[in-house]
Amino acid sequence: MFAKRLLHKAEAVLHHSNHKLQHSGLQGSELDPRIVIHYGIPSTASVLAFDPFQRLLAIGTLDGRLKVIGGDNIEGLLVSPKQLPYKYLEFLQNQGYLVGVLNDNDIQVWNLESRSLVCSLQWESNITAFSVISSSHFIYIGDHNGLFSVIKFEAEEGQLLKSSYNLSAKFLREAAGFSDPSEQPIIGVLLQPSSSGNRLLIAFEDGLLILWDVSEARIVFLGGGKDLQLKDEDGNPSTKMGANLPADIIGQSLGDKEITALCWVSSTGSILAVGYLDGDILLWNLSSAAHSKGHQTSKNVVKLQLSNAERRLPVIVLQWSNSYKSQSDCAGQLYVYGGDEIGSEEVLTVLTLEWSSGMESVSCTNRADLTLSGSFADLILLPSPGTMGLSSEDGLFVLTNPGQLHLYDNDSLSTLTSQQKRTPSVSALEFPVLVPLADPSLTVAKLVRLPSKSNSSKILTEVASSLRTGSRPGSAPSNWPLTGGVPSQLSTAKGAEVERVYFVGYSNGSVLVCDATHAVLSYICYIEGEVNGIKVAGSDAQVTKLDFCSVSLLLAVGNECGHVRIYDLKGHSDGRNFHCVTQTKSEVHDAPQGKGPHCSTVFSLLDSPVQALSFANSGTKLAIGFLIGCVAVCSMTSLSVLFLIDGVPSSSSPITSLVWKQEACFQSDVNSLKQSETASGNSLEEILFVLSRDGKINIVDGDSGKTISSRPLHMKESTAISMYIIEGSISTSEASNDKLQEELVKNTADSSPDEEEEPLSTRVNSSEADLSSSEISHSGDLLFDPLVLLCCENSLRLFSAKSLIQGHKKPIQKVKHSKSCSWTTIFKKDDKVYGLLSLLQTGTFEIRSLPDLELVAESSLLSILRWNYKVNMDKTMCSDDYGQIVLANSSELAFMSLLAGENEFSDPEHLPCLHDKVLAAAADAAFRFSSNQKKKQTTVPGILGGIVKGFKGGKTSPADVTKIPTSNFGHLEDIFFKPHLPDSLSTVTVTDNKEVDLDIDDIEIDEPSQPITKASTSSPDVKNKQKDKLDREKLFEGGTNNDDIKPRLRTPEEIMATYRKTGDASSAAAHARNKLMERQEKLERIGQRTAELQSGAENFASLANELVKTMERRKWWQL
C-alpha cells in the first residue's frame, strides 16, 4: 500500500516538475501601507478645536488620531506615532499648525500643509491646563505641581522652545499672602480679553483664582481659595435671579470647592464663570480690583445652581456666547454641561443671562435643556474672526459618542433661547457625508480603475458632467460653517478625466457612484433602488453584489431577492425601453424619462440572493452566481438568458467567485472540445471558472455552460473566499532528476489528507499526456501558462490552469494561514500581477509575492487605521488591483495605498491643502492695517470678516462687523524670552512696591550684556527686537527704567575700581566729554531709525489698504 502511494506521489511530482515559477521580485522596501483618503468622524472622537480664520475643524481621538475637516469634501487624517488619547487640542490660528497634547504629556505640533508631525516636546510633569494665545506662537501650560510655564513654537526651526519664565504655586500663594503655600494643580489658564496679552487668569484646583499681570509682574485680582469666605456686606441678597435658578448666595463658604471648568462671560474679561465639583457655578466680577483681600461681596460674586438636589454632577464644560441681539456686554448665553442632579437625563443646558453694569443685579431670563443624541464628548462655539462671541452667521458644534457631530446654527440657537419650554424641540444639522455609511447602511462596494488610453474614460467624463447637475444625498447645507482648505490643482483643472470610479450599494437598494480619481472624492450620480415609473417587486431590496464593465460602461446591481438590474452609464440605451427578463419570458416596457442613469434591464431568474457578478472581458455576457449554488449567463446584446446551470455538479454550496478567461489561453487543452463544438456550429470564445464556498472549482464553456474540466476540483476542509487567474507566471521546462527526487521526498512527507487520491490509471494517463504535451510544445521557447490562485480561510493554493482543465488537483504551491483569513486581493505593478494581500480575522494584513507566495511584509488595521477587525467587514472592502484598497467602518471610510513611492494619491499636486496661504496672508495684512489705523484713531470695521467671506465666496453683511484684535504680542517676546530671567522670580513685583533711591554712581554702565540664548534668537523678528534692546542698553549703559529689573547696589570699592582713571583732571574731563558725544551719536541714529520705521509703516498700511480693496472684489478661484 505504501509503495502504491509513493508511486502516486512520484507521478504527481513528475507532472509538476515541468513547471517553473517566475518570481515577481516584490521587496519589502517597495511597500508602504498608508492612508491617503479618509472620510467620516472616528468613533473615538473626544475633543474639538476650531480655526475661525481658516474655517477648519479639528477632532482629537482616544487612539492618537487627528481629523481635520474643511469645505468641499476636503478632509485629512493625521496619525500620531503613539496610540494614546489627546486631552488638549488647539490651532495656531491662521498659521497652518495644530497643537495637541497626549495623555502622556507629549506636546505635538502638526503641519497642516504637509500633513506631518513637525516636532514634539515631552513634558516632565502632568499637564492639567493648556492654552494657546490667539494669533501668536505662545502656549501657556499649567501642571499638576502648580507650575505655570510658557513655551513657544518656532516655525522656521520647527522647534518648541521652553521659556525660563515660570510662576510656581508657592510663589503666587506667598505673594497673595497665604500662610500655608501648597502646590495645588493648575486647572485652567485663560488670557484675559482686551488686555493685549498682558493679563492671564490662573485657576488652582482648590478654588484660588489669580489674575496676573505679566508686564507689571503683579497680582491684579485675587479670589476664591479655601481660606476665603463669601460674605454679604449688608446681610441681604442683592442678586435678582430667574425663576429657574435659586438665589441662596449668603454666607456660603468656599472652602474645598474644587474648580472643574471656567470661561470668560464678557468680551472685556470683566466677568468670569467658574464651575465646581459640587455642581455650583460662580460668576466673579473682576472689573474692580479695589476689594479687601480675603473677602468678596455679593456684588462681586453670584452663585448659580441648576438643581436643588443635594448630590449634583460636576460642571464639566462652560462656554459663553455674547448676545448678538444686545449691543452691550451684559447679556448672552452660558452653555453648561453638568451641574444637574445625579441620575438625570444627559443634556446640554443653555442659560440666557443678563446683568446690570457692575453686576449689581443678575437675572436668568431663560433656561433650555438640549437633549443629546449619544453621550457627550465636547462642544465648541464658532466665533467670527477676531470676536469672542457668536455672530448671526455662526453656530455651535456638539460632539457626542460614537463619532457624531451636530451643528446648531444661529436659527436653531435663536429658537432654543426664545422658547419658554424647559426642553424645546430644536433640530440640528448632522455632519454631511459624501458617502453615507449608516443611514442607509453600506452593504457592498466596488472600486474600478478604467483602462488607460481608452475611450471609456472620456465617455464617462462627459456623462459624469451631465449627471453631477442633480442633487445628491448628504450634501452640505449652504450655511455650513466649515469652508477651509484648497482643492488640488488637478482636481479642479479643466478637461480632467475620470480614471477611477467608486460604486457603493446600500441596504435600501440604492447605489452611489463617485469619482475617485483624485484624493478628494466627487459625486457623479445617485441611483434609487426603485426603477423609475415601473413597479418591480423586490427592487428596493439590499444590494449584495456590484460589477462594472469598463468597455461597455454597463453597471450590474444584484440584490437579496435575486434581481440583477443593468444600468447603461453611456446614457443612450435602446430608446428608453425597459426589459424585464425571467427564465420563461421577456417583457418590454416604455420607461419614462428620469434623472440619472437609465435602468435598461432587470433579470429576475431565481428567488435567491445574488452572491457573485462578473462581466465577460468583451462586456457582451454577464455571469450571475446565486446563494443556492446556481450560475446563470445572460447576453447583454440580446438581453436573454444563455444558460442556467448548477455551478458545481452535485453541490448546492453558494457561489463565491466567477472569473472569465479567453479561450486562447487554453488553446491546446480545449482543442478537442473546440473542434467538436465547431462541428456543431458553435465557437468557444470564453471560459468561465466557477468557485463555490465549499472549495470546489468548475470550468465551463461560456456559451453553452458545458463542463470543460474532466472533473471539478474539491478541497474538503476549506471554505473558499476568492479565486484569481494569473497570466504569464509559469513556464514549461524539463526538470533535472535531482530536483525530481527532492520534490518527491518533500511532497511525500508533506502529503495532507484534504487532497483526495486519484485512481492509479487516471494519474498515469494524465502524466503521460502531460509529458507528451510538454515535449511537443517545448521547442526552445518558453510557453507561459496561466495560474489559478485559490484563497481559502486556512490556506492559499496555486494551481496550473492547464492541469485543472485536465483534472489534476495537486497544487504547485501551498501556504497555510496562521489565523483564519476573511478577505484577499491581488495588486499589480506595471500591469503585471505583483502581490497578494490577505486580511486575517485578527486584523492582520499579510502581503505575499506572486506566484511564489513568499511572505514579504505584515501590517494590521490597528497600526495603520487604529481600527479593530469587525465581523462582515470584508463585505464592504474592495480594491482596484493596483494597490488601492477601500475599507469602511461604522462611521469611517478610508482609502489605503500599498505601494511605496509617489502615486496619484501621494503626489502633492493631487492632495488638497489644509491651509490656505493666500487667505492667511490677506488676514495678516488686514490685522496689520487695522493696527495701523487704530493708531491713527480711525475706524475700519469688518475688514478681516470681509476678506474671509470673500475668499470663501460669501457676502459681507452688517452682522459681520467684527472687532479685530490689534496686538501682535511682540512685547511678550521680551518678557518670556529676554536674556535676564530670575529662576525663583524673587524680583517680581507683587503688590505694594517701595521705591528705591538710587545714586548715579550705583548704576552699572560698563558691564557687558549677557549673551542671548538660542530660544530668544531663533527668528528674524526676535533678533531685530533684541538688537534694538541691546542698542538701548548700550546707549543708557544699564540705566533702564524697566520695572521688572531691580538695580544692584554696588560697594564703594567696586565703583572706584570701575571709574578710577589714570592721569589728571583734564584727562578725566576729556574722557567724560567723549562719552557724552558717543551717547549723542547713538541717540541721533535711533531717531533716524525711528523715522525710517514710521515711514515704512505708513507705506505698508497704504499697501495693505489697496490689497484689502483688491481682495474684496476678487473670488478665491480668480487668484
Side-chain angles (χ1 to χ4, degrees):
M1 184 64 185
F2 177 76
K4 181 178 179 180
R5 186 180 180 88
L6 187 62
L7 180 59
H8 291 173
K9 293 294 181 182
E11 292 169 351
V13 170
L14 182 63
H15 165 67
H16 291 290
S17 64
N18 291 328
H19 301 95
K20 182 179 180 181
L21 294 178
Q22 298 290 318
H23 295 271
S24 66
L26 178 63
Q27 304 294 328
S29 58
E30 299 177 89
L31 299 173
D32 182 22
R34 63 199 183 280
I35 301 302
V36 291
I37 302 178
H38 184 275
Y39 283 100
I41 300 174
S43 59
T44 56
S46 59
V47 60
L48 299 174
F50 181 68
D51 189 337
F53 302 96
Q54 296 286 326
R55 311 302 291 180
L56 291 173
L57 181 71
I59 304 175
T61 68
L62 299 176
D63 50 27
R65 292 181 294 167
L66 295 173
K67 186 62 189 287
V68 182
I69 303 173
D72 298 328
N73 299 321
I74 297 177
E75 299 183 23
L77 184 70
L78 311 175
V79 182
S80 170
K82 300 179 180 180
Q83 191 175 342
L84 294 173
Y86 279 97
K87 59 181 180 180
Y88 299 107
L89 188 64
E90 294 281 352
F91 278 98
L92 292 179
Q93 294 181 1
N94 203 40
Q95 301 175 51
Y97 294 97
L98 184 63
V99 185
V101 181
L102 294 171
N103 257 14
D104 67 344
N105 304 296
D106 187 18
I107 306 172
Q108 298 178 340
V109 180
W110 293 84
N111 188 324
L112 297 181
E113 185 177 358
S114 62
R115 305 191 183 196
S116 61
L117 181 63
V118 178
C119 63
S120 62
L121 176 63
Q122 184 64 51
W123 204 253
E124 59 274 6
S125 58
N126 183 29
I127 297 176
T128 55
F130 183 83
S131 178
V132 175
I133 303 180
S134 177
S135 303
S136 76
H137 288 88
F138 294 108
I139 302 172
Y140 290 159
I141 293 177
D143 63 17
H144 185 74
N145 299 324
L147 183 66
F148 168 81
S149 305
V150 181
I151 60 175
K152 174 191 174 184
F153 173 65
E154 188 58 59
E156 292 185 358
E157 297 184 0
Q159 293 181 356
L160 281 171
L161 306 178
K162 185 177 179 181
S163 171
S164 57
Y165 184 97
N166 55 66
L167 300 171
S168 65
K170 179 180 179 181
F171 165 76
L172 290 175
R173 288 176 177 272
E174 289 179 350
F178 288 99
S179 58
D180 182 21
S182 59
E183 295 182 353
Q184 288 288 332
I186 296 177
I187 297 301
V189 177
L190 298 179
L191 186 70
Q192 187 180 34
S194 304
S195 67
S196 301
N198 291 326
R199 293 183 177 182
L200 59 96
L201 184 106
I202 303 176
F204 292 90
E205 187 181 56
D206 63 347
L208 179 62
L209 301 172
I210 294 179
L211 185 62
W212 178 261
D213 193 301
V214 175
S215 60
E216 299 179 4
R218 67 185 182 91
I219 295 177
V220 179
F221 177 87
L222 178 65
K226 63 181 180 180
D227 296 332
L228 302 180
Q229 300 294 325
L230 177 62
K231 296 181 180 181
D232 192 336
E233 293 177 346
D234 302 327
N236 297 315
S238 61
T239 306
K240 298 179 181 179
M241 303 298 294
N244 295 324
L245 296 175
D248 51 347
I249 65 167
I250 307 174
Q252 296 292 324
S253 172
L254 296 183
D256 297 328
K257 286 183 73 71
E258 294 186 12
I259 296 178
T260 54
L262 67 160
C263 72
W264 295 110
V265 182
S266 65
S267 59
T268 59
S270 60
I271 309 296
L272 178 72
V274 182
Y276 294 89
L277 186 65
D278 58 2
D280 286 345
I281 301 174
L282 295 185
L283 300 181
W284 294 82
N285 183 8
L286 277 65
S287 59
S288 176
H291 58 270
S292 58
K293 185 187 299 185
H295 295 84
Q296 307 292 332
T297 67
S298 61
K299 296 180 181 180
N300 293 326
V301 183
V302 175
K303 183 166 75 172
L304 311 178
Q305 286 185 343
L306 302 184
S307 173
N308 290 323
E310 182 178 353
R311 300 181 60 193
R312 289 168 293 159
L313 295 169
V315 178
I316 305 300
V317 176
L318 288 175
Q319 292 284 348
W320 175 257
S321 168
N322 286 331
S323 177
Y324 61 92
K325 297 181 180 179
S326 175
Q327 298 297 327
S328 66
D329 193 36
C330 301
Q333 287 76 40
L334 182 64
Y335 297 84
V336 184
Y337 176 70
D340 217 333
E341 182 180 1
I342 295 179
S344 60
E345 184 181 8
E346 189 172 9
V347 296
L348 177 64
T349 303
V350 183
L351 304 177
T352 301
L353 302 179
E354 295 180 358
W355 61 87
S356 61
S357 178
M359 218 167 69
E360 293 289 340
S361 63
V362 178
S363 62
C364 176
T365 60
N366 185 58
R367 168 178 175 170
D369 291 339
L370 190 63
T371 304
L372 303 177
S373 58
S375 60
F376 177 84
D378 198 10
L379 68 87
I380 192 168
L381 298 173
L382 308 183
S384 295
T387 63
M388 292 294 296
L390 296 176
S391 72
S392 59
E393 299 289 337
D394 300 304
L396 167 72
F397 270 127
V398 178
L399 178 65
T400 58
N401 294 315
Q404 302 179 63
L405 185 66
H406 295 88
L407 171 68
Y408 296 89
D409 59 8
N410 186 258
D411 295 335
S412 299
L413 296 177
S414 299
T415 304
L416 180 69
T417 55
S418 61
Q419 295 182 12
Q420 298 300 322
K421 299 179 181 179
R422 177 73 173 267
T423 57
S425 57
V426 178
S427 60
L429 299 177
E430 295 186 359
F431 176 70
V433 290
L434 178 65
V435 181
L437 301 176
D439 187 21
S441 60
L442 186 151
T443 57
V444 66
K446 188 173 184 64
L447 184 65
V448 177
R449 180 170 180 174
L450 301 178
S452 58
K453 299 180 181 180
S454 66
N455 292 328
S456 303
S457 178
K458 296 181 180 179
I459 296 174
L460 191 57
T461 302
E462 296 175 358
V463 174
S465 60
S466 61
L467 293 177
R468 284 192 179 104
T469 57
S471 61
R472 64 176 178 87
S475 58
S478 58
N479 60 340
W480 190 252
L482 303 181
T483 58
V486 182
S488 63
Q489 299 178 2
L490 296 181
S491 63
T492 57
K494 293 182 179 180
E497 295 185 355
V498 178
E499 300 176 1
R500 187 183 289 103
V501 187
Y502 180 53
F503 300 92
V504 184
Y506 291 98
S507 58
N508 62 355
S510 61
V511 177
L512 179 66
V513 184
C514 296
D515 180 4
T517 305
H518 306 285
V520 175
L521 297 184
S522 61
Y523 162 82
I524 294 181
C525 64
Y526 180 76
I527 304 174
E528 297 284 351
E530 294 286 347
V531 180
N532 187 28
I534 301 175
K535 293 184 178 180
V536 179
S539 60
D540 59 347
Q542 173 179 308
V543 179
T544 56
K545 209 66 180 177
L546 296 169
D547 196 33
F548 179 73
C549 179
S550 58
V551 178
S552 60
L553 297 183
L554 293 178
L555 173 65
V557 181
N559 66 14
E560 204 169 29
C561 294
H563 297 175
V564 177
R565 307 194 305 268
I566 306 298
Y567 293 90
D568 187 359
L569 298 188
K570 294 190 299 293
H572 53 77
S573 58
D574 184 19
R576 291 291 175 179
N577 289 334
F578 172 75
H579 299 258
C580 184
V581 181
T582 64
Q583 292 189 55
T584 57
K585 62 180 179 178
S586 177
E587 299 178 352
V588 181
H589 304 274
D590 291 332
Q593 187 75 19
K595 297 181 180 180
H598 170 60
C599 180
S600 61
T601 310
V602 171
F603 291 96
S604 180
L605 306 180
L606 296 174
D607 187 15
S608 176
V610 177
Q611 296 294 296
L613 288 173
S614 179
F615 278 103
N617 296 327
S618 59
T620 58
K621 290 182 288 228
L622 173 67
I624 308 172
F626 296 92
L627 183 66
I628 60 176
C630 296
V631 173
V633 174
C634 304
S635 172
M636 294 293 100
T637 55
S638 62
L639 299 180
S640 60
V641 181
L642 298 181
F643 60 84
L644 178 63
I645 61 173
D646 291 335
V648 177
S650 303
S651 175
S652 60
S653 179
I655 303 300
T656 299
S657 185
L658 298 169
V659 181
W660 292 90
K661 273 301 168 185
Q662 294 289 338
E663 172 266 342
C665 299
F666 315 98
Q667 183 99 25
S668 60
D669 302 293
V670 297
N671 188 40
S672 59
L673 179 61
K674 180 178 179 181
Q675 291 176 354
S676 62
E677 294 295 335
T678 304
S680 62
N682 297 323
S683 62
L684 182 63
E685 294 182 355
E686 289 177 310
I687 297 175
L688 179 63
F689 287 75
V690 181
L691 173 66
S692 60
R693 187 175 298 172
D694 58 359
K696 294 182 179 179
I697 298 179
N698 193 20
I699 308 173
V700 299
D701 174 11
D703 289 327
S704 63
K706 293 184 179 180
T707 301
I708 294 177
S709 58
S710 59
R711 64 174 184 168
L713 173 69
H714 184 202
M715 296 296 151
K716 286 185 177 180
E717 45 74 54
S718 297
T719 300
I721 297 175
S722 58
M723 174 179 59
Y724 306 97
I725 307 297
I726 305 173
E727 297 181 358
S729 298
I730 185 170
S731 62
T732 59
S733 61
E734 296 182 357
S736 63
N737 292 331
D738 295 337
K739 181 67 175 179
L740 175 62
Q741 294 177 359
E742 292 176 3
E743 292 290 336
L744 174 61
V745 175
K746 178 180 179 182
N747 284 277
T748 303
D750 295 342
S751 60
S752 56
D754 65 311
E755 295 160 0
E756 294 181 350
E757 294 293 334
E758 291 185 357
L760 180 60
S761 59
T762 303
R763 286 185 172 273
V764 172
N765 294 336
S766 299
S767 300
E768 292 175 354
D770 292 340
L771 288 174
S772 61
S773 175
S774 176
E775 291 173 358
I776 293 173
S777 61
H778 184 68
S779 59
D781 297 329
L782 295 180
L783 300 180
F784 292 96
D785 291 337
L787 295 177
V788 177
L789 177 62
L790 176 61
C791 303
C792 302
E793 280 190 0
N794 300 323
S795 63
L796 300 172
R797 290 179 173 88
L798 196 64
F799 300 90
S800 166
K802 176 181 176 181
S803 64
L804 285 181
I805 294 176
Q806 294 177 350
H808 297 290
K809 59 181 178 181
K810 181 67 179 179
I812 299 174
Q813 202 74 283
K814 177 181 176 181
V815 174
K816 289 187 176 181
H817 293 299
S818 58
K819 299 292 182 180
S820 296
C821 179
S822 63
W823 184 81
T824 62
T825 184
I826 59 173
F827 56 92
K828 302 177 181 179
K829 185 177 182 181
D830 300 328
D831 292 329
K832 294 182 180 180
V833 177
Y834 208 50
L836 170 73
L837 181 140
S838 303
L839 174 62
L840 306 185
Q841 294 182 7
T842 58
T844 301
F845 285 116
E846 288 185 351
I847 303 177
R848 299 179 179 274
S849 60
L850 288 176
D852 50 11
L853 297 180
E854 292 183 0
L855 182 63
V856 178
E858 283 185 316
S859 187
S860 67
L861 287 172
L862 195 63
S863 62
I864 300 175
L865 271 169
R866 305 290 162 84
W867 291 2
N868 292 316
Y869 178 82
K870 294 184 179 180
V871 180
N872 296 327
M873 179 182 287
D874 56 289
K875 297 184 182 300
T876 58
M877 295 178 63
C878 58
S879 67
D880 67 348
D881 296 340
Y882 286 88
Q884 309 295 338
I885 302 173
V886 186
L887 308 94
N889 206 343
S890 57
S891 60
E892 301 176 63
L893 181 71
F895 282 62
M896 184 174 71
S897 180
L898 291 181
L899 298 177
E902 291 189 359
N903 54 41
E904 56 268 32
F905 284 151
S906 62
D907 189 349
E909 293 184 356
H910 287 77
L911 289 175
C913 186
L914 297 177
H915 179 63
D916 192 341
K917 289 185 176 181
V918 178
L919 176 62
D924 184 64
F927 273 123
R928 295 178 183 272
F929 176 75
S930 175
S931 176
N932 188 65
Q933 291 295 323
K934 185 176 181 181
K935 294 179 181 179
K936 296 181 178 181
Q937 299 298 322
T938 58
T939 304
V940 186
I943 295 176
L944 182 59
I947 289 180
V948 174
K949 296 293 182 180
F951 272 97
K952 298 305 177 183
K955 296 182 179 180
T956 306
S957 63
D960 293 327
V961 176
T962 61
K963 180 181 178 181
I964 302 176
T966 57
S967 175
N968 58 6
F969 305 105
H971 61 290
L972 298 181
E973 182 81 30
D974 297 331
I975 298 175
F976 296 145
F977 291 90
K978 61 186 177 181
H980 301 283
L981 282 177
D983 296 334
S984 60
L985 291 177
S986 58
T987 61
V988 177
T989 305
V990 178
T991 52
D992 297 334
N993 299 315
K994 297 181 179 180
E995 296 184 0
V996 179
D997 295 333
L998 300 178
D999 187 84
I1000 187 63
D1001 292 333
D1002 297 334
I1003 302 176
E1004 300 179 7
I1005 60 175
D1006 290 334
E1007 292 288 333
S1009 59
Q1010 297 293 330
I1012 307 299
T1013 60
K1014 178 182 178 180
S1016 61
T1017 60
S1018 54
S1019 66
D1021 294 339
V1022 176
K1023 291 178 180 178
N1024 292 334
K1025 294 175 183 177
Q1026 291 169 350
K1027 185 176 184 303
D1028 295 341
K1029 184 178 180 181
L1030 288 177
D1031 290 342
R1032 178 181 177 85
E1033 290 179 353
K1034 290 180 179 179
L1035 173 63
F1036 294 100
E1037 294 188 348
T1040 61
N1041 295 324
N1042 293 342
D1043 295 335
D1044 55 348
I1045 299 180
K1046 182 177 180 181
R1048 182 172 63 89
L1049 295 177
R1050 307 177 68 184
T1051 62
E1053 291 78 7
E1054 291 177 334
I1055 296 176
M1056 293 176 64
T1058 303
Y1059 296 104
R1060 178 177 295 171
K1061 303 295 180 181
T1062 59
D1064 53 8
S1066 60
S1067 61
H1071 179 75
R1073 184 175 59 255
N1074 293 336
K1075 286 286 186 179
L1076 289 175
M1077 294 178 64
E1078 290 178 3
R1079 288 191 176 188
Q1080 181 65 27
E1081 292 175 357
K1082 291 180 180 180
L1083 287 173
E1084 291 177 356
R1085 287 199 301 269
I1086 290 178
Q1088 184 179 359
R1089 291 186 59 188
T1090 301
E1092 293 175 354
L1093 289 174
Q1094 184 175 0
S1095 176
E1098 293 176 356
N1099 294 336
F1100 183 82
S1102 175
L1103 179 62
N1105 192 15
E1106 294 177 2
L1107 176 62
V1108 169
K1109 292 180 180 179
T1110 303
M1111 291 302 179
E1112 287 179 344
R1113 294 192 299 265
R1114 301 177 65 183
K1115 303 300 181 182
W1116 65 272
W1117 60 81
Q1118 296 175 332
L1119 299 176

